[in-house]
């Protein structure tokens, strides 16, 4: 259809941000950050005692500059930094030139049906180097469950049809067949109304439940200590 008929391009698709909605949005963001920080702090800081990368790097640089041979050490670090920056830029340019951002590692059939792909992101390599083995294995297990279990299962409940006349203000709704959970054409843009939404909200629910449980335990401990 025409560009103007697509969702998001009509005046009726605009969301009226009233004062109350803005306050609710800001409060939700503040609470979400607070709740998510609790399990992350417990796992990454308390349990694994991981160092903050940028702060640790700045501390090492200041320490080397104030050492007797600080100038030579800082120069050696700067040389290594320029070398790896050059490698990172070259790799990013190579991926952009040869469209390796979404490489169908397991074949086109798995890519089109289940979204199995790889982007060859060098940042993931660095993340794996600073993370403990348990966290890396947990991320790998999550990827296997998400792409190898959830994606094929959700495909069985996918409706492979589109509703070109549906949209805000059109008066036509897209009615799914019995046993179908979402419209398949929404997967292409990574919409939360498609398959991607089932994965995102499942992960968010796990994080929020863990955070709320930790918050309840901390609150109960504080109350017990105050009464003691």
């Amino acid at each position: 259809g025409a560009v103007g008929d697509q969702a998001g391009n009509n005046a009726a698709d605009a969301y009226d941000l009233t004062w109350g909605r803005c306050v609710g949005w800001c409060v939700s963001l503040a609470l979400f950050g607070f709740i998510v920080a609790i399990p992350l702090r417990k796992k990454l800081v308390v349990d694994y005692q991981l160092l903050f990368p940028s702060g640790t790097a700045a501390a090492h640089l200041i320490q080397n500059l104030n050492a007797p041979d600080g100038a030579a050490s800082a120069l050696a670090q700067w040389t290594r930094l320029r070398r790896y920056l050059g490698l990172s830029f070259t790799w990013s340019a190579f991926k952009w030139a040869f469209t390796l951002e979404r490489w169908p590692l397991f074949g086109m059939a798995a890519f089109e049906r289940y979204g199995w792909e790889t982007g060859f992101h060098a940042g993931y390599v660095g993340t794996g180097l600073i993370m403990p083995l348990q966290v890396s294995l947990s991320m790998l297990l999550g990827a296997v469950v998400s792409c190898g279990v959830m994606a094929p299962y959700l495909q069985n409940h996918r409706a492979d049809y589109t509703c070109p006349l549906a949209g805000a203000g059109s008066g036509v709704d897209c009615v799914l067949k019995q046993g179908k959970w979402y419209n398949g054409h929404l997967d292409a843009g990574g919409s939360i109304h498609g398959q991607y939404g089932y994965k995102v909200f499942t992960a968010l629910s796990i994080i929020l439940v863990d955070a709320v449980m930790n918050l309840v335990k901390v609150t109960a401990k504080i109350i017990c200590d105050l009464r003691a």
Side-chain angles (χ1 to χ4, degrees):
V3 175
D5 296 334
Q6 297 178 4
N9 293 328
N10 300 309
D13 296 332
Y15 198 75
D16 186 15
L17 291 178
T18 61
W19 184 86
R21 289 173 177 174
C22 289
V23 171
W25 173 255
C26 293
V27 172
S28 300
L29 287 180
L31 292 177
F32 181 76
F34 171 73
I35 292 176
V36 171
I38 295 177
L40 291 180
R41 175 187 175 275
K42 182 178 182 301
K43 285 295 182 182
L44 302 181
V45 179
V46 178
D47 295 343
Y48 299 136
Q49 298 182 354
L50 297 179
L51 300 176
F52 192 66
S54 58
T56 304
H60 279 294
L61 179 60
I62 295 173
Q63 182 181 15
N64 290 332
L65 290 175
N66 290 276
D69 57 343
S73 177
L75 180 60
Q77 290 183 356
W78 174 245
T79 302
R80 287 195 294 268
L81 178 62
R82 288 187 300 174
R83 182 184 302 118
Y84 289 114
L85 283 176
L87 289 175
S88 178
F89 176 79
T90 303
W91 176 245
S92 299
F94 178 79
K95 289 198 304 178
W96 175 82
F98 294 95
T99 61
L100 295 179
E101 290 292 338
R102 302 185 64 186
W103 182 258
L105 184 63
F106 300 99
M108 290 302 299
F111 172 75
E112 294 175 354
R113 184 166 180 81
Y114 303 126
W116 291 358
E117 63 186 32
T118 181
F120 298 104
H121 297 291
Y124 292 160
V125 178
T127 303
L129 291 175
I130 65 175
M131 288 292 179
L133 180 61
Q134 184 177 358
V135 175
S136 300
L137 291 178
S138 177
M139 294 176 64
L140 177 61
L141 177 61
V144 172
V145 172
S146 175
C147 299
V149 178
M150 290 184 63
Y153 179 77
L154 291 173
Q155 284 290 332
N156 296 329
H157 298 276
R158 166 178 171 170
D160 292 319
Y161 65 92
T162 60
C163 299
L165 298 179
S170 64
V172 179
D173 294 328
C174 184
V175 180
L176 298 179
K177 298 178 180 179
Q178 185 177 4
K180 302 299 181 181
W181 294 354
Y182 64 97
N183 199 339
H185 83 283
L186 297 174
D187 286 343
S191 172
I192 61 172
H193 298 289
Q195 184 183 129
Y196 183 69
Y198 290 93
K199 300 178 182 180
V200 170
F201 290 108
T202 300
L204 287 179
S205 63
I206 295 173
I207 295 175
L208 290 176
V209 168
D210 187 24
V212 170
M213 290 298 298
N214 282 280
L215 185 61
V216 170
K217 288 193 299 184
V218 171
T219 304
K221 187 176 185 305
I222 292 175
I223 294 175
C224 292
D225 291 341
L226 291 176
R227 292 183 175 180

